Amino acid sequence: MQIRRRDFIKAGAVGGALLATGCSPKMNALEPAKAATGQDVGEKPGEWIASTCQGCTTWCPIEIFVQEGRAVKVRGNQLSKANSGYVCPRGHLILQQIYDPDRIKVPMKRTNPKKARGEDPRWVPISWDEAMDTLADKIMELRKNNETHKYLLMRGRYSDHNYLLYDYLTKLIGSPNNISHSAICAEVEKFGAYYTQGYWGYRDYDLDNMKYLIVWGCDPISSNRQVPNGIRKLNTVLTEGTVVAVDPRMSNTAAKAHKWLPIKPAEDGALALAMAHVILTSGMWYKEFVGDFKDGQNHFVAGQEVSEADFVEKHTNGLARWWNIELKDKTPEWAAALTGIDAATIVEVARGFAAAAPHCGVWYGPTMQPRGSYAVFCIHALNGLVGAVDNEGGVITYQSAPYSSFPKIDAYQDDIAKAGAKNKKIDQRGTLKFPALNKKSGGGVVTNNAANGILAEDPYDIKLAVAYYNNFNFAGTEAGRWDRAMAKVPFFVHIVPMLSEMSQFADIVLPSTLHHSEQWAIVRAAANTYGHISIQQPLIKPLFEAKAPETEFVWLLAEKLKAKGFSNIYDYYSTEFKDPETGKQPTNSLEFSLYATKIRSQKAWDPKENAEYKGDRVSGWEEFRQKGIVNSPKHKPRALWEKGFPTETKKFEFYSETLKKVLTDHAAKHKVTIDEAIQASNNLATGEQVFVPHYEPPVRHGSRVDYPFDLIDMKSRFNREGRSANLPWYYTFKKCDPGDLVDQDVIQINPDDAARLGIAEGDTVKVTSVVGSLNVRARLWEGVQPGTAAKCFGQGHWAYGRVATKDFKSFIPRGANFNEIMPDDYDRLSGSTARNCGFTGVRIEKV
C-alpha cells in the first residue's frame, strides 16, 4: 500500500469526521462529549496533572486537566514560582497541538527515490520494527566501513533527556556530528553576558524591584521568553517606574512603554555606546559596583583620555581603558546620525536609566545580525555600568534547581566510536571563518552552516542523518540550501509529530510523542528569580503509534543494534539506567523512559540525595510526580560580587581578558594573529578595540538603491517555537500581533512608503531580495518606520498540514516564508544565523 499526499489528506479528513461522531480516540479537546452521559465536558470529573510547556525557552511548569483520558484545559503549575501559576497564549495552544488530525500516525517509508520540493515521497506505512531494523543496518554499514563520523544527528526542541539521543547515542555510534538548532534561535545574545561576566545563557530579571526597564530588541510580554512573568509584572514597572522600548517596529511592549525608541535596524551598538558615554560623562555610573576616581572627581570628558591608574575599580575590570579605546568619542550626536534617535532623547534615557541604579536593567533580545556579538557586548555592558548585574531589581543569572547526572558512557565507547568522534564537525565550527566562541574556539554551534557543509562535503560527506523535533528546511535562512542538502543525504530518518518541509526529504518518518503530554522527561529552567526542575509525563495515552525520540527511539534502536552484533549502546542503557527506587534494570522502552526520568531528577525528590538543599523539598518520587516541580531558593543578590565572577579577572569585564584568552587560543590554533582571526570572522576591529564593547558598522545585503527597504523579522506571540502553524487558533487570534490581521499573512509597510509606491491596503506585493522574491499581502501600518518593512515568522508552509498549507497535496504554501529570501549569513563569533535587524535589503512592488 502506498500513501500519496492526496490520500494522506483524505485519511486525515475521514479521521476528523469519525472523531466528530465520538469514535475513539476523541480528538477535539473542547467539543462537548455527550455520548455517554449527555453532560458537557466541564461537568465531568477530571484531574489536573503536572507537566511542562516548551513553547519557548522559559519551559514553564504547567498543569493539564484530563477528563476520561482527554486533555481539555491548560494552566500554569500552581506551585511554580517562575510563572506564578499562569501560562501565556502559547500554553493554551497545547490542546489543539495534541489533537491535530494531521499528526503522523504510523511509521512510513519513502518509495519515490527522487527528493525535491514538489516531489511526492509516496509514503508507505511500515512498522516500528521494520524502521528500526533498516536504520540499524545503515549504522552497522558505517561501522563496517569505519565511517561512523558520517552519521549526523540534528536536534530541535529537547528535554534534559536529549543527552541520551543527541549526545550519548551519537558518541557511542562514533560521530562528532550532533547539531543543535540553537544557533538558528538566539546564541548571539549569550555572547555579551559571557565575555563580560562569564555567563553563557539567558538572563533573568527581578521585575518586582525594578524601577527602570529598557526592553531592547525583544518583546517579553509577547514573544520573548518568560512571557507569563512579563505579562503579570510589567504593569508594576509601568506604574512604579519607567519602561522604554528600543525596537525598529512597535511591539506589544513598545505599545505599553512610556517611551518607544524606533531605532534604525542594526544600529543597536551605536545607541548603547552613546548611552554609556552619557552615563560616564554625567558621573552617573554605579560607584558601589564599578569604583571611582581616586580624587572623587569625574574626569570623563568627551574626546579626552583619562589615566587608567587614577580610576580604582571594585567589581569591574577595564572601565577607563574602555573609555580611552572606544567611548570617549561616542557622543549622543554621533549616535543620533546612525540610529535615528535624537541626541536629547539618548541623553534623557541614559540619565533616567542610571538614576534608577541599581534597580534597573536592559532586557535584550537575540540581536541576530552579522557582527551582532559586539552589538550585544555593548548592550550588556550598560547593565554593568549601573550595577544591575546580579543585583536586586536588576539582571541576574539563572538559579539552578537540583538534578542528578546521567551515568558516564566512557566504558561503552569502543575504538571505532572513539576514532570516529574525533573528526571535525559538519557545521565547520571552530574554523577561521566560524569561530563559534561559546567559551572556547568551536564551543558553539553553526546550525545553518551544516547545510553548506553537507553540500560541499566539507569536511566530508554525510551518509546517514537522523533528526527530531526540527524543520530546518523552513526555519533556516536561504532555506533552499536545506532542500538541496537533505536531498543529497543518502538516507534520512525524521522523528516528528507532523510532516513538514524537512520530512519531505526523509526516507523514513517516525511519529513522535508530544513532550508536554505523552512522554516522560525532565526540564530545568528559571524565571522570576527562581530556578526549577519540572516534570513531563504521559498524562494521556500517546496517540496512534507515537514514541518518545529521546528515550523510546533510543532503546528500540539499541535493541536492533545488539541483535546485529553491536551491543555497546544496549549494554549502556540497560545496565546503567536502573530504577533508583528498586534497583530494577529496564526491560523495555517505557521502563527506560521512566527510569531515566527518575535518575535525572533524583536530587530533586530523594531526601537522601538533597539533605543540604534549601529550596522546595518533597518526600519522594511520587510526591514529585504529583507536584511536578521543585523550586530553587530565591536568587541571592550580589552573590557574584562577593565570590567573584567566573571570568579571567573574577570581575565584570569592560575590557575582556576572557575574550582575549579565547581569541588568543583560537588564533594560535589557526596560526594567525588575532586581528587576522577577527577579520576572517567578518568583523572590522583591530588591536585593543577587539577586547572591548565597540561599534561595528552593520552588514546589509543589497544596495539601498536597488533594495531600499530594511526587512524586519518579527515573532508572533502564538509561535510555539514554530509549531503552531497548523492550529486554527493561531490564525483566529493573529490580530493580537501588532499590525497583523486575522487569518492573513502580511508584510507591514508604513503608509507613507505605500503611498509613494502606489500600494493600497490588501494589495498583493512582490518582495525581492538579493536571494529571491515572494508575493504577500500588504498591510499599511504606522507601527513600522518609513524605509522598513516587517514580516512575522511562522507562515508560508508548503508541507505542514491542511491549515498551515494552502494546498498540501500540491505543495502550495499559505502565505510566505521569508526565510526563503533572507541571505545565508551569520554572526560568526557566536555561530548564530543572521535573521533580523534589517540585514536583508528588499524591494517592494505592487503586483
Side-chain angles (χ1 to χ4, degrees):
M1 173 185 174
Q2 289 186 344
I3 301 178
R4 301 182 185 276
R5 292 176 62 84
R6 184 184 298 273
D7 298 330
F8 185 85
I9 289 294
K10 286 181 177 178
V14 171
L18 290 172
L19 296 169
T21 67
C23 293
S24 182
K26 298 181 179 69
M27 300 290 287
N28 188 338
L30 300 182
E31 176 110 15
K34 298 183 179 180
T37 64
Q39 295 178 327
D40 289 340
V41 171
E43 298 172 358
K44 292 186 177 182
E47 179 185 9
W48 287 104
I49 302 178
S51 190
T52 307
C53 175
Q54 288 188 283
C56 75
T57 51
T58 301
W59 298 348
C60 281
I62 61 170
E63 296 172 347
I64 297 179
F65 196 62
V66 178
Q67 293 176 313
E68 297 185 337
R70 295 183 302 117
V72 299
K73 189 175 178 62
V74 181
R75 70 182 183 187
N77 189 314
Q78 301 301 288
L79 300 175
S80 171
K81 296 179 181 178
N83 61 14
S84 303
Y86 292 87
V87 292
C88 74
R90 283 177 291 201
H92 296 294
L93 290 175
I94 283 173
L95 300 175
Q96 288 198 336
Q97 188 179 35
I98 293 173
Y99 298 111
D100 189 328
D102 291 335
R103 285 183 61 178
I104 301 171
K105 297 167 180 61
V106 297
M108 299 186 293
K109 72 177 181 181
R110 175 185 215 94
T111 62
N112 180 4
K114 185 176 180 180
K115 296 181 179 182
R117 178 168 176 170
E119 195 69 39
D120 188 346
R122 297 204 292 269
W123 300 114
V124 171
I126 59 174
S127 66
W128 270 93
D129 186 71
E130 180 182 344
M132 294 296 96
D133 194 64
T134 303
L135 178 56
D137 281 340
K138 299 293 182 181
I139 293 172
M140 294 302 292
E141 184 178 351
L142 293 179
R143 286 183 57 81
K144 178 183 177 182
N145 297 327
N146 289 317
E147 292 183 319
T148 57
H149 58 289
K150 296 184 178 182
Y151 168 84
L152 167 64
L153 189 284
M154 294 173 284
R155 181 190 77 184
R157 175 48 50 232
Y158 61 95
S159 74
D160 253 26
H161 289 353
N162 81 95
Y163 292 94
L164 308 178
L165 170 57
Y166 171 74
D167 191 8
Y168 302 161
L169 179 66
T170 307
K171 289 177 179 176
L172 290 168
I173 288 172
S175 175
N177 289 311
N178 48 352
I179 305 297
S180 164
H181 74 292
S182 302
I184 288 180
C185 275
E187 287 300 275
V188 66
E189 68 175 274
K190 301 172 185 176
F191 187 96
Y194 185 78
Y195 288 106
T196 52
Q197 67 177 87
Y199 174 70
W200 189 278
Y202 302 124
R203 286 78 45 215
D204 193 5
Y205 306 87
D206 184 7
L207 296 181
D208 283 333
N209 298 294
M210 191 173 288
K211 301 303 179 186
Y212 202 111
L213 171 63
I214 300 178
V215 176
W216 201 310
C218 63
D219 197 357
I221 62 171
S222 176
S223 56
N224 197 246
R225 57 197 61 85
Q226 297 196 31
V227 175
N229 191 43
I231 291 173
R232 280 180 51 78
K233 299 198 171 182
L234 183 69
N235 187 61
T236 301
V237 189
L238 284 168
T239 56
E240 299 179 9
T242 302
V243 177
V244 173
V246 179
D247 203 302
R249 61 176 291 277
M250 180 172 283
S251 64
N252 282 280
T253 303
K256 296 178 180 295
H258 296 97
K259 190 177 289 292
W260 169 38
L261 307 187
I263 189 172
K264 288 182 179 178
E267 294 292 359
D268 306 270
L271 178 59
L273 290 170
M275 289 178 61
H277 178 100
V278 171
I279 290 170
L280 293 180
T281 56
S282 302
M284 299 182 71
W285 66 91
Y286 192 64
K287 297 174 179 59
E288 188 177 346
F289 179 68
V290 178
D292 201 359
F293 287 99
K294 291 178 180 178
D295 61 5
Q297 302 297 310
N298 184 14
H299 297 281
F300 291 121
V301 178
Q304 298 181 20
E305 292 191 358
V306 299
S307 169
E308 294 181 27
D310 289 343
F311 195 91
V312 180
E313 293 185 87
K314 292 185 176 180
H315 303 287
T316 65
N317 177 72
L319 177 63
R321 186 180 300 185
W322 180 31
W323 170 266
N324 292 338
I325 294 170
E326 180 69 11
L327 286 182
K328 68 180 188 300
D329 299 317
K330 297 302 185 286
T331 64
E333 291 75 19
W334 165 82
L338 296 169
T339 64
I341 310 299
D342 65 87
T345 298
I346 295 174
V347 171
E348 176 191 349
V349 172
R351 288 178 176 170
F353 180 63
H359 301 103
C360 55
V362 181
W363 186 325
Y364 55 90
T367 322
M368 295 177 72
Q369 56 180 297
R371 303 173 182 165
S373 284
Y374 279 115
V376 78
F377 201 5
C378 296
I379 294 169
H380 192 65
L382 292 173
N383 288 319
L385 274 182
V386 296
V389 176
D390 194 45
N391 209 349
E392 181 180 81
V395 181
I396 60 179
T397 56
Y398 271 13
Q399 292 291 94
S400 180
Y403 68 96
S404 302
S405 298
F406 286 128
K408 293 184 178 181
I409 67 168
D410 304 53
Y412 299 89
Q413 194 178 27
D414 65 11
D415 291 340
I416 293 175
K418 289 177 181 177
K422 290 179 180 178
N423 282 272
K424 295 179 180 179
K425 291 179 181 282
I426 195 66
D427 65 343
Q428 302 169 358
R429 69 185 73 176
T431 60
L432 197 56
K433 183 178 180 181
F434 292 108
L437 303 180
N438 179 350
K439 307 178 184 179
K440 64 179 182 178
S441 175
V445 59
V446 196
T447 312
N448 211 25
N449 195 54
N452 298 326
I454 293 169
L455 288 168
E457 299 184 7
D458 183 9
Y460 42 76
D461 60 318
I462 293 296
K463 291 190 173 180
L464 173 62
V466 174
Y468 73 104
Y469 262 127
N470 63 343
N471 187 12
F472 294 164
N473 296 56
F474 180 86
T477 54
E478 207 165 327
R481 297 173 307 109
W482 279 102
D483 292 349
R484 297 190 298 275
M486 298 315 296
K488 184 180 175 69
V489 175
F491 200 84
F492 170 41
V493 177
H494 206 199
I495 317 169
V496 281
M498 299 275 299
L499 287 177
S500 68
E501 287 77 11
M502 198 170 191
S503 306
Q504 300 305 307
F505 297 86
D507 296 275
I508 290 177
V509 292
L510 298 173
S512 169
T513 52
L514 293 168
H515 51 264
H516 43 61
S517 52
E518 297 176 324
Q519 66 184 40
W520 288 107
I522 288 297
V523 170
R524 293 176 295 123
N528 193 31
T529 73
Y530 292 91
H532 64 261
I533 180 170
S534 59
I535 200 169
Q536 293 176 330
Q537 55 184 316
L539 48 92
I540 62 170
K541 183 179 179 181
L543 297 184
F544 313 112
E545 295 185 24
K547 297 186 184 297
E550 294 172 340
T551 51
E552 292 182 85
F553 165 80
V554 170
W555 180 271
L556 295 174
L557 179 59
E559 286 183 324
K560 284 294 182 183
L561 289 169
K562 178 186 178 183
K564 296 178 185 297
F566 177 44
S567 66
N568 297 45
I569 298 174
Y570 179 84
D571 292 343
Y572 167 64
Y573 290 123
S574 63
T575 303
E576 301 292 343
F577 284 72
K578 299 176 182 177
D579 185 335
E581 291 187 296
T582 67
K584 180 183 176 183
Q585 293 178 257
T587 60
N588 57 57
S589 62
L590 291 176
E591 288 181 350
F592 174 61
S593 300
L594 176 60
Y595 298 171
T597 305
K598 286 185 172 183
I599 290 170
R600 190 62 168 170
S601 60
Q602 187 172 3
K603 285 188 178 179
W605 58 262
D606 188 343
K608 297 190 299 292
E609 294 285 325
N610 62 9
E612 304 300 321
Y613 185 60
K614 303 301 182 183
D616 291 352
R617 302 186 65 84
V618 294
S619 60
W621 163 255
E622 184 57 26
E623 186 180 359
F624 174 65
R625 187 197 66 78
Q626 291 179 5
K627 290 184 174 179
I629 186 171
V630 166
N631 296 292
S632 77
K634 186 176 177 64
H635 172 262
K636 178 186 175 183
R638 303 193 180 192
L640 291 174
W641 295 26
E642 297 172 5
K643 70 178 182 180
F645 291 88
T647 61
E648 286 297 304
T649 63
K650 307 302 179 185
K651 296 184 175 183
F652 185 97
E653 297 181 343
F654 296 117
Y655 181 93
S656 182
E657 294 288 353
T658 304
L659 180 57
K660 178 184 281 189
K661 181 181 185 301
V662 171
L663 281 173
T664 297
D665 293 344
H666 173 69
K669 181 173 72 173
H670 295 287
K671 299 180 180 179
V672 298
T673 66
I674 290 177
D675 284 356
E676 289 170 334
I678 287 293
Q679 184 178 13
S681 69
N682 196 28
N683 288 275
L684 303 182
T686 59
E688 292 286 87
Q689 190 183 34
V690 170
F691 312 119
V692 298
H694 68 267
Y695 179 71
E696 289 276 345
V699 173
R700 187 180 190 271
H701 291 265
S703 71
R704 292 200 175 276
V705 173
D706 297 324
Y707 305 94
F709 289 90
D710 294 329
L711 180 62
I712 307 300
D713 175 64
M714 55 179 273
K715 302 299 185 294
S716 171
R717 70 190 316 156
F718 303 107
N719 278 345
R720 289 189 54 80
E721 295 211 323
R723 298 177 183 87
S724 307
N726 203 51
L727 310 181
W729 287 344
Y730 178 89
Y731 302 92
T732 300
F733 300 105
K734 198 67 177 66
K735 197 172 182 179
C736 294
D737 292 322
D740 274 2
L741 298 174
V742 171
D743 288 328
Q744 300 292 330
D745 192 23
V746 301
I747 187 166
Q748 300 169 4
I749 307 171
N750 186 277
D752 291 343
D753 288 331
R756 179 171 50 83
L757 296 173
I759 296 172
E761 175 72 28
D763 282 349
T764 299
V765 296
K766 180 181 180 181
V767 183
T768 303
S769 73
V770 296
V771 173
S773 300
L774 288 171
N775 289 352
V776 68
R777 175 175 172 162
R779 169 68 166 135
L780 277 54
W781 191 53
E782 295 85 351
V784 291
Q785 303 175 59
T788 69
K791 171 68 172 61
C792 192
F793 170 89
Q795 297 190 54
H797 282 281
W798 53 269
Y800 201 67
R802 74 193 70 186
V803 178
T805 309
K806 184 176 181 180
D807 188 338
F808 186 88
K809 63 181 180 293
S810 300
F811 304 99
I812 299 175
R814 176 177 182 171
N817 175 19
F818 270 42
N819 288 318
E820 295 180 11
I821 66 170
M822 290 185 190
D824 172 36
D825 204 349
Y826 305 83
D827 172 72
R828 297 179 187 177
L829 289 179
S830 67
S832 285
T833 299
R835 67 176 327 114
N836 53 29
C837 300
F839 87 104
T840 303
V842 296
R843 178 172 63 251
I844 302 175
E845 306 163 279
K846 182 177 179 179
V847 175

